[in-house]
Amino acid sequence: GTMAHMKSVLLLGVLASASAFQTSFMPGMKAPVVARRAATMTGPVMAEPVPCGINGFGRIGRLVARIMVKDPETKLIHVNAGSATPDYMAYQFKYDSIHGRFNGEVVVDGDDLVLDGQRVITTRQRDPADIGWDKTGVDYLCESTGVFLTEEKAQAHVDGGCKKVIFSAPAKDDSLTVVMGVNPEDYKGQTDFVSCASCTTNGLAPLVKCVNDKWGIEEGLMTTIHAMTATQAVVDSSSRKDWRGGRAASGNIIPSSTGAAKAVAKVIPDVKGKLTGMAFRVPTIDVSVVDLTCKLKKEATYEEICDEVKRRAAGDMKGFLGYCDEPLVSTDFESEPISSTFDAEAGIMLNPSFVKLVAWYDNEWGYSGRVVDLMKHMAAVDAKVKA
């Protein structure tokens, strides 16, 4: 009884959401997914899936793989991992302490992984020249080892046969930086190397864009209360470059530096020299929250700011900027695909030109989604340039 009722309710929900796409379909069909994705994409929808590869199978590499396998617009062809064997890669892909078990089939076949029926070649090479992107047909590469973050270093991947390299981290040189939802138009096909910035820049920039477009930001300070990441230590360890960073992540609030706020100027030149910030690393596994305290050029009420964020979250910034007026906490944003979700209840205004704004971001999942979005966007632009 109850199960049947549940199913009919679910089916109604599915059909109701589908009507927006003007397609008649049965649950399980891919069409609505494509339509929904197309709505958040800038530029044309690709007819052929984008041939993708991943270098480095850490937190971001694995989640990018999960997203690609479920996205009909991308085709994951080849993953190069440092030393992980195929069976270990399958295990790392399938189980995740935060995002749960992979919803689909994971099979190991020799050196290949078969993920949801899609065959993915795996290799274990340290030198890009030996990976063989040219042999496997990878055009767009997610570079997530943290090692090849300059044009000079990443050139080895292009020499190895891929067309474009997308850094899943801030570039260590002045490579083009694109934050989806903020400055996608800056990529015109002019370079083979593009950085997706950092998770925190993606968590901050959409909110900055929204506020700056309407009122102008005179100056601002950002603090991110940031989840633990793999660069930290479980118990007190040593870190000669960053003494505090070598302390136990699991039991401390650790002040840390971050270039994320300054980096916003790379994607919103208007705020150059007006933003900076810092981080507190706290003992949570994933999901971070950014606190932007800023002086506005034009006066506003807090309600007006909420209304404007809400408007753009439902409009041109949909999928990148979110709006939330429920009293949520960090775990509620685990696996949230939106880059930056404004928390209306958490912010506070001191006076009409001085305000503290709060936005949540899943620093793993949201960011990984943007890496994939950027790869698809570049492919769409490149196809237009070619045509």
Side-chain angles (χ1 to χ4, degrees), residues 188-227:
K188 300 174 176 72
Q190 74 272 36
T191 174
D192 296 340
F193 309 97
V194 181
S195 164
C196 197
S198 71
C199 54
T200 301
T201 301
N202 277 266
L204 176 63
L207 180 60
V208 169
K209 176 179 167 70
C210 176
V211 173
N212 190 63
D213 282 353
K214 179 90 171 169
W215 294 280
I217 291 174
E218 201 166 296
E219 53 190 2
L221 288 170
M222 176 218 75
T223 303
T224 173
I225 296 86
H226 201 293

Short mmCIF file of all heavy atoms in Angstrom, two decimals, residues 188-227:
data_model
loop_
_atom_site.label_atom_id
_atom_site.label_comp_id
_atom_site.label_asym_id
_atom_site.label_seq_id
_atom_site.Cartn_x
_atom_site.Cartn_y
_atom_site.Cartn_z
N LYS A 188 37.74 32.32 -25.39
CA LYS A 188 37.32 32.44 -26.79
C LYS A 188 38.06 31.44 -27.67
O LYS A 188 38.13 31.58 -28.87
CB LYS A 188 37.59 33.87 -27.28
CG LYS A 188 36.86 34.94 -26.48
CD LYS A 188 37.25 36.34 -26.90
CE LYS A 188 36.46 37.41 -26.18
NZ LYS A 188 36.84 37.54 -24.75
N GLY A 189 38.68 30.45 -27.03
CA GLY A 189 39.46 29.47 -27.78
C GLY A 189 40.92 29.87 -27.90
O GLY A 189 41.71 29.19 -28.55
N GLN A 190 41.29 30.99 -27.24
CA GLN A 190 42.61 31.59 -27.45
C GLN A 190 43.76 30.86 -26.77
O GLN A 190 44.93 31.13 -27.03
CB GLN A 190 42.59 33.07 -26.98
CG GLN A 190 42.57 33.28 -25.46
CD GLN A 190 41.18 33.30 -24.84
OE1 GLN A 190 40.31 32.56 -25.26
NE2 GLN A 190 40.99 34.13 -23.82
N THR A 191 43.48 29.94 -25.87
CA THR A 191 44.55 29.27 -25.13
C THR A 191 44.25 27.79 -24.94
O THR A 191 43.08 27.38 -25.02
CB THR A 191 44.75 29.95 -23.75
OG1 THR A 191 45.71 29.19 -22.98
CG2 THR A 191 43.45 30.01 -22.96
N ASP A 192 45.28 27.00 -24.70
CA ASP A 192 45.10 25.56 -24.45
C ASP A 192 45.04 25.24 -22.97
O ASP A 192 44.87 24.09 -22.58
CB ASP A 192 46.25 24.76 -25.08
CG ASP A 192 46.28 24.91 -26.60
OD1 ASP A 192 45.24 25.28 -27.17
OD2 ASP A 192 47.34 24.65 -27.21
N PHE A 193 45.22 26.28 -22.12
CA PHE A 193 45.33 26.05 -20.68
C PHE A 193 44.41 27.00 -19.92
O PHE A 193 44.56 28.22 -20.00
CB PHE A 193 46.78 26.25 -20.22
CG PHE A 193 47.76 25.48 -21.06
CD1 PHE A 193 48.43 26.09 -22.11
CD2 PHE A 193 47.99 24.13 -20.81
CE1 PHE A 193 49.32 25.36 -22.90
CE2 PHE A 193 48.87 23.40 -21.60
CZ PHE A 193 49.54 24.03 -22.65
N VAL A 194 43.46 26.44 -19.18
CA VAL A 194 42.51 27.27 -18.44
C VAL A 194 42.37 26.73 -17.02
O VAL A 194 42.25 25.52 -16.81
CB VAL A 194 41.12 27.29 -19.12
CG1 VAL A 194 40.15 28.18 -18.35
CG2 VAL A 194 41.23 27.77 -20.56
N SER A 195 42.40 27.64 -16.05
CA SER A 195 42.21 27.25 -14.66
C SER A 195 40.77 27.49 -14.23
O SER A 195 40.16 28.50 -14.60
CB SER A 195 43.15 28.05 -13.75
OG SER A 195 42.71 27.96 -12.40
N CYS A 196 40.23 26.58 -13.43
CA CYS A 196 38.88 26.71 -12.90
C CYS A 196 38.91 27.43 -11.54
O CYS A 196 37.93 27.41 -10.81
CB CYS A 196 38.26 25.31 -12.75
SG CYS A 196 36.47 25.33 -12.57
N ALA A 197 40.03 28.06 -11.22
CA ALA A 197 40.23 28.76 -9.93
C ALA A 197 40.14 27.76 -8.77
O ALA A 197 40.29 26.55 -8.98
CB ALA A 197 39.24 29.91 -9.76
N SER A 198 39.90 28.26 -7.55
CA SER A 198 39.81 27.37 -6.39
C SER A 198 38.35 27.19 -5.99
O SER A 198 37.48 27.92 -6.45
CB SER A 198 40.58 27.98 -5.21
OG SER A 198 39.87 29.10 -4.71
N CYS A 199 38.10 26.22 -5.12
CA CYS A 199 36.73 25.99 -4.65
C CYS A 199 36.19 27.24 -3.96
O CYS A 199 35.03 27.60 -4.13
CB CYS A 199 36.68 24.79 -3.72
SG CYS A 199 37.83 24.88 -2.33
N THR A 200 37.04 27.91 -3.20
CA THR A 200 36.58 29.10 -2.46
C THR A 200 36.30 30.27 -3.40
O THR A 200 35.34 31.02 -3.21
CB THR A 200 37.58 29.49 -1.36
OG1 THR A 200 37.72 28.36 -0.47
CG2 THR A 200 37.12 30.69 -0.57
N THR A 201 37.12 30.44 -4.44
CA THR A 201 36.85 31.50 -5.43
C THR A 201 35.51 31.21 -6.11
O THR A 201 34.72 32.13 -6.35
CB THR A 201 38.00 31.58 -6.46
OG1 THR A 201 39.21 31.87 -5.76
CG2 THR A 201 37.75 32.68 -7.48
N ASN A 202 35.21 29.94 -6.38
CA ASN A 202 33.91 29.57 -6.95
C ASN A 202 32.77 29.78 -5.95
O ASN A 202 31.64 30.03 -6.35
CB ASN A 202 33.93 28.13 -7.44
CG ASN A 202 34.53 27.99 -8.83
OD1 ASN A 202 33.83 28.00 -9.83
ND2 ASN A 202 35.85 27.90 -8.91
N GLY A 203 33.07 29.65 -4.66
CA GLY A 203 32.07 29.87 -3.63
C GLY A 203 31.79 31.34 -3.38
O GLY A 203 30.73 31.71 -2.87
N LEU A 204 32.75 32.18 -3.74
CA LEU A 204 32.65 33.61 -3.46
C LEU A 204 32.28 34.46 -4.67
O LEU A 204 31.45 35.37 -4.58
CB LEU A 204 34.00 34.09 -2.89
CG LEU A 204 34.19 35.58 -2.61
CD1 LEU A 204 33.22 36.05 -1.52
CD2 LEU A 204 35.63 35.87 -2.19
N ALA A 205 32.90 34.17 -5.82
CA ALA A 205 32.77 35.05 -7.00
C ALA A 205 31.31 35.26 -7.48
O ALA A 205 30.95 36.39 -7.81
CB ALA A 205 33.64 34.53 -8.14
N PRO A 206 30.45 34.22 -7.50
CA PRO A 206 29.08 34.46 -7.95
C PRO A 206 28.34 35.48 -7.07
O PRO A 206 27.62 36.34 -7.58
CB PRO A 206 28.42 33.08 -7.87
CG PRO A 206 29.56 32.12 -8.04
CD PRO A 206 30.71 32.77 -7.30
N LEU A 207 28.56 35.41 -5.75
CA LEU A 207 27.93 36.36 -4.84
C LEU A 207 28.50 37.77 -5.06
O LEU A 207 27.76 38.76 -5.10
CB LEU A 207 28.17 35.91 -3.39
CG LEU A 207 27.58 36.80 -2.29
CD1 LEU A 207 26.06 36.91 -2.41
CD2 LEU A 207 27.96 36.28 -0.91
N VAL A 208 29.81 37.86 -5.21
CA VAL A 208 30.46 39.15 -5.47
C VAL A 208 29.92 39.76 -6.76
O VAL A 208 29.59 40.95 -6.81
CB VAL A 208 32.00 38.99 -5.55
CG1 VAL A 208 32.66 40.27 -6.08
CG2 VAL A 208 32.57 38.64 -4.18
N LYS A 209 29.80 38.95 -7.79
CA LYS A 209 29.28 39.44 -9.08
C LYS A 209 27.88 40.03 -8.92
O LYS A 209 27.60 41.14 -9.37
CB LYS A 209 29.26 38.30 -10.11
CG LYS A 209 28.63 38.70 -11.46
CD LYS A 209 28.66 37.55 -12.45
CE LYS A 209 27.78 37.80 -13.66
NZ LYS A 209 28.30 38.86 -14.54
N CYS A 210 27.02 39.27 -8.24
CA CYS A 210 25.63 39.70 -8.05
C CYS A 210 25.57 41.04 -7.32
O CYS A 210 24.87 41.96 -7.75
CB CYS A 210 24.89 38.62 -7.26
SG CYS A 210 23.20 39.07 -6.86
N VAL A 211 26.31 41.16 -6.22
CA VAL A 211 26.27 42.37 -5.40
C VAL A 211 26.97 43.54 -6.12
O VAL A 211 26.47 44.66 -6.13
CB VAL A 211 26.91 42.10 -4.02
CG1 VAL A 211 27.03 43.39 -3.21
CG2 VAL A 211 26.09 41.07 -3.25
N ASN A 212 28.11 43.24 -6.72
CA ASN A 212 28.87 44.30 -7.38
C ASN A 212 28.15 44.87 -8.61
O ASN A 212 28.19 46.06 -8.87
CB ASN A 212 30.27 43.79 -7.77
CG ASN A 212 31.18 44.90 -8.24
OD1 ASN A 212 31.49 45.82 -7.49
ND2 ASN A 212 31.58 44.84 -9.51
N ASP A 213 27.48 43.99 -9.36
CA ASP A 213 26.73 44.44 -10.54
C ASP A 213 25.67 45.48 -10.17
O ASP A 213 25.42 46.42 -10.91
CB ASP A 213 26.04 43.25 -11.24
CG ASP A 213 27.01 42.42 -12.07
OD1 ASP A 213 28.18 42.84 -12.22
OD2 ASP A 213 26.59 41.36 -12.58
N LYS A 214 25.03 45.28 -9.02
CA LYS A 214 23.88 46.11 -8.65
C LYS A 214 24.27 47.33 -7.81
O LYS A 214 23.79 48.43 -8.04
CB LYS A 214 22.88 45.24 -7.88
CG LYS A 214 21.64 45.96 -7.40
CD LYS A 214 20.53 45.92 -8.43
CE LYS A 214 19.24 46.47 -7.81
NZ LYS A 214 18.21 46.70 -8.80
N TRP A 215 25.14 47.14 -6.82
CA TRP A 215 25.45 48.23 -5.88
C TRP A 215 26.91 48.70 -5.93
O TRP A 215 27.22 49.79 -5.48
CB TRP A 215 25.11 47.82 -4.44
CG TRP A 215 23.64 47.63 -4.25
CD1 TRP A 215 22.71 48.62 -4.06
CD2 TRP A 215 22.92 46.40 -4.25
NE1 TRP A 215 21.45 48.06 -3.94
CE2 TRP A 215 21.55 46.70 -4.05
CE3 TRP A 215 23.28 45.06 -4.40
CZ2 TRP A 215 20.56 45.72 -4.00
CZ3 TRP A 215 22.30 44.09 -4.35
CH2 TRP A 215 20.96 44.41 -4.16
N GLY A 216 27.78 47.86 -6.46
CA GLY A 216 29.21 48.19 -6.45
C GLY A 216 29.81 47.89 -5.08
O GLY A 216 29.21 48.20 -4.05
N ILE A 217 30.97 47.24 -5.07
CA ILE A 217 31.65 46.95 -3.81
C ILE A 217 32.86 47.89 -3.71
O ILE A 217 33.73 47.88 -4.58
CB ILE A 217 32.10 45.48 -3.74
CG1 ILE A 217 30.87 44.57 -3.63
CG2 ILE A 217 33.05 45.24 -2.57
CD1 ILE A 217 31.17 43.08 -3.71
N GLU A 218 32.87 48.71 -2.66
CA GLU A 218 33.97 49.64 -2.46
C GLU A 218 35.19 48.89 -1.93
O GLU A 218 36.31 49.07 -2.39
CB GLU A 218 33.55 50.74 -1.50
CG GLU A 218 34.41 51.98 -1.60
CD GLU A 218 33.76 53.14 -0.87
OE1 GLU A 218 32.66 53.58 -1.29
OE2 GLU A 218 34.35 53.60 0.12
N GLU A 219 34.95 48.05 -0.93
CA GLU A 219 36.00 47.18 -0.40
C GLU A 219 35.34 46.05 0.38
O GLU A 219 34.20 46.17 0.81
CB GLU A 219 36.98 47.97 0.49
CG GLU A 219 36.32 48.75 1.58
CD GLU A 219 37.29 49.72 2.28
OE1 GLU A 219 38.46 49.79 1.87
OE2 GLU A 219 36.86 50.38 3.23
N GLY A 220 36.07 44.95 0.54
CA GLY A 220 35.48 43.83 1.24
C GLY A 220 36.53 42.90 1.81
O GLY A 220 37.64 42.78 1.28
N LEU A 221 36.17 42.25 2.91
CA LEU A 221 37.02 41.23 3.51
C LEU A 221 36.23 39.93 3.56
O LEU A 221 35.06 39.93 3.94
CB LEU A 221 37.44 41.63 4.93
CG LEU A 221 38.46 42.76 5.03
CD1 LEU A 221 38.59 43.22 6.48
CD2 LEU A 221 39.82 42.31 4.50
N MET A 222 36.88 38.86 3.16
CA MET A 222 36.25 37.56 3.18
C MET A 222 36.89 36.65 4.21
O MET A 222 38.10 36.67 4.38
CB MET A 222 36.40 36.90 1.80
CG MET A 222 35.85 35.50 1.76
SD MET A 222 36.83 34.34 0.77
CE MET A 222 38.24 34.03 1.80
N THR A 223 36.06 35.89 4.89
CA THR A 223 36.57 34.79 5.72
C THR A 223 35.88 33.53 5.24
O THR A 223 34.66 33.53 5.07
CB THR A 223 36.24 35.01 7.21
OG1 THR A 223 36.78 36.25 7.61
CG2 THR A 223 36.84 33.90 8.06
N THR A 224 36.63 32.48 4.99
CA THR A 224 35.99 31.19 4.71
C THR A 224 36.22 30.28 5.90
O THR A 224 37.34 30.16 6.40
CB THR A 224 36.47 30.54 3.39
OG1 THR A 224 35.89 29.23 3.31
CG2 THR A 224 37.97 30.41 3.30
N ILE A 225 35.12 29.69 6.38
CA ILE A 225 35.22 28.67 7.42
C ILE A 225 35.23 27.38 6.62
O ILE A 225 34.23 26.96 6.06
CB ILE A 225 34.05 28.75 8.42
CG1 ILE A 225 34.10 30.07 9.20
CG2 ILE A 225 34.10 27.60 9.41
CD1 ILE A 225 33.43 31.22 8.55
N HIS A 226 36.43 26.80 6.51
CA HIS A 226 36.68 25.79 5.49
C HIS A 226 36.88 24.39 6.08
O HIS A 226 37.60 24.21 7.06
CB HIS A 226 37.93 26.19 4.70
CG HIS A 226 38.05 25.57 3.35
ND1 HIS A 226 38.25 24.21 3.18
CD2 HIS A 226 37.97 26.10 2.09
CE1 HIS A 226 38.30 23.95 1.87
NE2 HIS A 226 38.13 25.08 1.21
N ALA A 227 36.24 23.41 5.44
CA ALA A 227 36.39 22.01 5.83
C ALA A 227 37.85 21.56 5.67
O ALA A 227 38.64 22.20 4.98
CB ALA A 227 35.48 21.14 4.97
#
